[in-house]
């Protein structure tokens, strides 16, 4: 019996050893939470690390540089544009620009659309709106006769309820318009004496004759005020290509400018004064700030600034001295005779009437446009 007890005890121990693996699994799963929390805390600490944030910001700035952002822009050109003889000029300009361009059917027809490819993965610290795709930017090319028909409709049916031609009411975007050769087309459609004597087909022909530059200018104002729609009038495909390239470069610069607007000023520091010593409530540092203020005037040496600050240790004391003067001339020449410390053997110097006048006007004048330095 005495031997059975230890065996049972040993058997019981071995039983616990056999059950240890599931017990170990439960214990391990229990410790996964704190370990995972520590890892998340470490990641959060790294994310809040100023050095890590500076590196992420520098990487974002490299990606947002216009020369790199231009490579992620794509211009989608409708195939109907290529039917015009001058479209080759536009395609050559896009090819030399450095961005991608694709020939794809667009809605509406004869339009160009810009799209942006977001980097994967997006860098840390860049707001989502900076990487927003520019699918809302669209340029619609109109033929002169098509544009004049819309102008005739706008000038004949006036009022805010007038629907804008060339644009579908279901379209979510409001495109920019471009018309090539409108001036030459209007000159070519002017009726000569023979056509005026023999009028025919009073339908479209009368509409063409009724639309001139006064109606075009009126329609441009209506489009700008009612629909916030810009119309680009160019004389050739060369001018259109220059506008498209300039617009594409502007879109490439947009993310960089938006990121700069979202970030804080780089020259600001938290809780510190970065331009000289701080002036405390008890006046410590005031005399140094007043001395630097005097030094900002043109042609003022440190010795001259020392003379002014020694006589009047603060601008408030100088203002009180100005108020005690009885005449304007006395105020202007108050500092003129102050002696300036010079080296031994040098000729004695004084502050002078010119600087005395400038400091007096600086502290007493209420005219913001007053020119202090007459020699500048």
């Amino acid at each position: 019996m005495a031997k059975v007890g230890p065996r049972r005890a040993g058997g019981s121990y071995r039983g616990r050893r056999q059950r240890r693996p599931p017990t170990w699994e439960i214990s391990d799963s229990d410790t996964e939470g704190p370990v995972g929390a520590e890892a998340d805390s470490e990641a959060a600490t790294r994310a809040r690390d100023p050095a890590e944030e500076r590196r992420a910001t520098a990487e974002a700035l490299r990606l947002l540089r216009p020369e790199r952002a231009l490579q992620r822009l794509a211009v989608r050109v409708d195939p109907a544009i290529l039917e015009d003889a001058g479209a080759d000029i536009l395609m050559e300009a896009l090819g030399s620009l450095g961005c991608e361009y694709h020939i794809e059917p667009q809605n509406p027809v004869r339009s160009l659309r810009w799209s942006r490819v977001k980097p994967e993965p997006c860098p840390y610290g860049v707001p989502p709106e900076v990487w927003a795709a520019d699918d809302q930017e669209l340029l619609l090319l109109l033929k002169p006769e098509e544009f004049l028909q819309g102008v005739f409709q706008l000038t004949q049916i006036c009022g805010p309820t007038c629907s804008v031609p060339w644009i579908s009411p279901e379209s979510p975007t409001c495109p920019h318009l471009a018309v090539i050769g409108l001036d030459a087309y209007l000159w070519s459609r002017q009726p000569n004496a023979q056509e005026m004597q023999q009028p025919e087909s009073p339908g479209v022909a009368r509409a063409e004759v009724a639309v001139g530059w006064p109606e075009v200018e009126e329609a441009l104002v209506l489009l700008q005020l009612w629909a916030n729609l810009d119309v680009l009038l160019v004389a050739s495909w060369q001018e259109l290509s220059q506008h498209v390239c300039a617009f594409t470069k502007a879109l490439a610069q947009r993310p960089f400018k938006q990121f700069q607007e979202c970030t804080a000023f780089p020259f600001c520091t938290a809780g510190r004064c970065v331009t000289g010593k701080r002036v405390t409530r008890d006046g410590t540092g005031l005399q140094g700030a007043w001395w630097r203020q005097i030094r900002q005037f043109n042609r003022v040496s440190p010795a001259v600034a020392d003379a002014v600050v020694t006589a009047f240790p603060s601008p408030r004391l100088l203002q009180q001295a100005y108020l005690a003067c009885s005449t304007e001339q006395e105020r202007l020449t108050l500092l003129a005779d102050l002696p300036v410390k010079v080296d031994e053997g040098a000729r004695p110097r004084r502050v002078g009437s010119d600087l005395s006048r400038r400091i007096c006007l600086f502290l007493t004048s209420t005219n913001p446009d007053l020119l202090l330095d007459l020699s500048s």
Side-chain angles (χ1 to χ4, degrees), residues 10-225:
S12 177
Y13 180 75
R14 288 193 299 270
R16 286 195 300 271
R17 290 286 299 271
Q18 292 176 359
R19 289 194 299 272
R20 188 173 180 178
T23 304
W24 177 259
E25 290 179 3
I26 295 174
S27 177
D28 187 42
S29 64
D30 290 339
T31 58
E32 281 181 0
V35 172
E38 290 177 3
D40 294 341
S41 177
E42 260 180 55
T45 303
R46 286 195 304 267
R48 291 191 298 267
D49 185 15
E52 185 67 25
E53 290 183 359
R54 285 194 296 268
R55 285 193 293 269
T57 302
E59 178 63 23
L61 285 175
R62 282 194 294 268
L63 290 175
L64 291 174
R65 290 292 179 185
E67 58 272 10
R68 297 193 61 178
L70 189 60
Q71 300 173 0
R72 293 192 304 274
L73 270 180
V75 184
R76 309 187 184 278
V77 184
D78 188 79
I81 298 178
L82 303 181
E83 298 177 0
D84 292 341
D88 295 340
I89 301 176
L90 175 62
M91 304 311 295
E92 291 178 2
L94 291 177
S96 61
L97 189 60
C99 65
E100 297 182 3
Y101 65 91
H102 307 280
I103 310 299
E104 299 177 357
Q106 301 295 321
N107 186 21
V109 186
R110 290 179 56 84
S111 63
L112 292 86
R113 188 183 299 272
W114 285 262
S115 61
R116 190 187 308 278
V117 180
K118 295 193 293 185
E120 295 294 343
C122 291
Y124 168 79
V126 180
E129 58 269 14
V130 172
W131 300 110
D134 296 296
D135 291 335
Q136 304 299 322
E137 302 296 343
L138 187 143
L139 180 64
L140 177 61
L141 303 185
L142 297 176
K143 296 180 179 180
E145 56 270 19
E146 184 180 4
F147 177 72
L148 291 179
Q149 291 176 3
V151 168
F152 181 76
Q153 177 182 350
L154 277 176
T155 54
Q156 295 298 323
I157 310 174
C158 297
T161 58
C162 175
S163 60
V164 179
W166 323 292
I167 301 175
S168 173
E170 294 81 12
S171 176
T173 62
C174 186
H176 307 278
L177 302 181
V179 185
I180 304 176
L182 178 63
D183 193 12
Y185 182 82
L186 286 175
W187 278 103
S188 65
R189 299 303 298 178
Q190 285 184 352
N192 53 31
Q194 183 178 0
E195 291 176 350
M196 294 180 64
Q197 293 176 0
Q198 298 178 355
E200 57 182 23
S201 63
V204 178
R206 188 176 64 181
E208 292 177 353
V209 173
V211 176
W213 273 114
E215 290 76 19
V216 170
E217 293 176 355
E218 179 184 356
L220 294 178
V221 174
L222 295 177
L223 291 173
Q224 181 66 44
L225 295 180

